Amino acid sequence: MSTVLVVEDEFDVQQIVADVLRDEGHQVFVCGTGREALQHLSEFRPDVVLMDVMLPIFSGLQVLDVMRKTPGLDAIPVILMSETEPRHVQARWQFFLKKPFRLEHLLDAITRVMGPVSLT
């Protein structure tokens, strides 16, 4: 089982993504702001972070910047989600999902970043 931190401020999207990932055998934690994401990341290390770019308080890019400068968080794979891919920032994420996306594209991104899920 893999652990996924979903950082998304749109409640409906957050819940749909979390439900789909749980159905695929992942352990999922959710939060709705960049500040909450940083709090979660100070308490545990997920296998992957699925993060919206536009978040209240700290943006997804600000959270990503903190992660890449913090030992222990710097190697955690990040999948960014947004309507447009950020171009002004050096690519520090492993995969980009353009919103809106199909759920099979979400699962494909998770598999590409983490590999197939083992249910044992």
Side-chain angles (χ1 to χ4, degrees):
M1 178 184 324
S2 301
T3 304
V4 181
L5 176 61
V6 177
V7 188
E8 170 60 62
D9 62 332
E10 293 182 46
F11 182 76
D12 292 343
V13 175
Q14 183 187 86
Q15 293 306 303
I16 291 169
V17 167
D19 288 347
V20 167
L21 294 175
R22 287 183 182 116
D23 287 347
E24 292 294 315
H26 299 283
Q27 183 178 20
V28 180
F29 296 89
V30 296
C31 56
T33 71
R35 179 176 288 166
E36 290 174 350
L38 292 172
Q39 180 65 36
H40 278 277
L41 291 166
S42 72
E43 297 169 358
F44 76 99
R45 304 286 190 259
D47 297 311
V48 65
V49 175
L50 181 63
M51 184 156 48
D52 189 14
V53 172
M54 300 298 293
L55 295 169
I57 305 175
F58 294 110
S59 73
L61 294 176
Q62 289 173 308
V63 173
L64 180 62
D65 190 48
V66 170
M67 289 178 66
R68 293 305 177 240
K69 293 177 179 174
T70 305
L73 301 179
D74 55 339
I76 297 173
V78 173
I79 299 171
L80 282 183
M81 307 178 289
S82 182
E83 291 180 12
T84 59
E85 184 169 7
R87 295 176 191 254
H88 62 286
V89 180
Q90 181 180 3
R92 295 171 292 166
W93 53 88
Q94 280 62 47
F95 201 87
F96 178 78
L97 273 175
K98 181 175 173 43
K99 287 181 161 182
F101 53 83
R102 299 175 145 242
L103 294 176
E104 55 264 24
H105 293 156
L106 166 68
L107 297 175
D108 180 60
I110 294 287
T111 300
R112 287 180 185 212
V113 170
M114 300 177 54
V117 175
S118 171
L119 297 177
T120 58

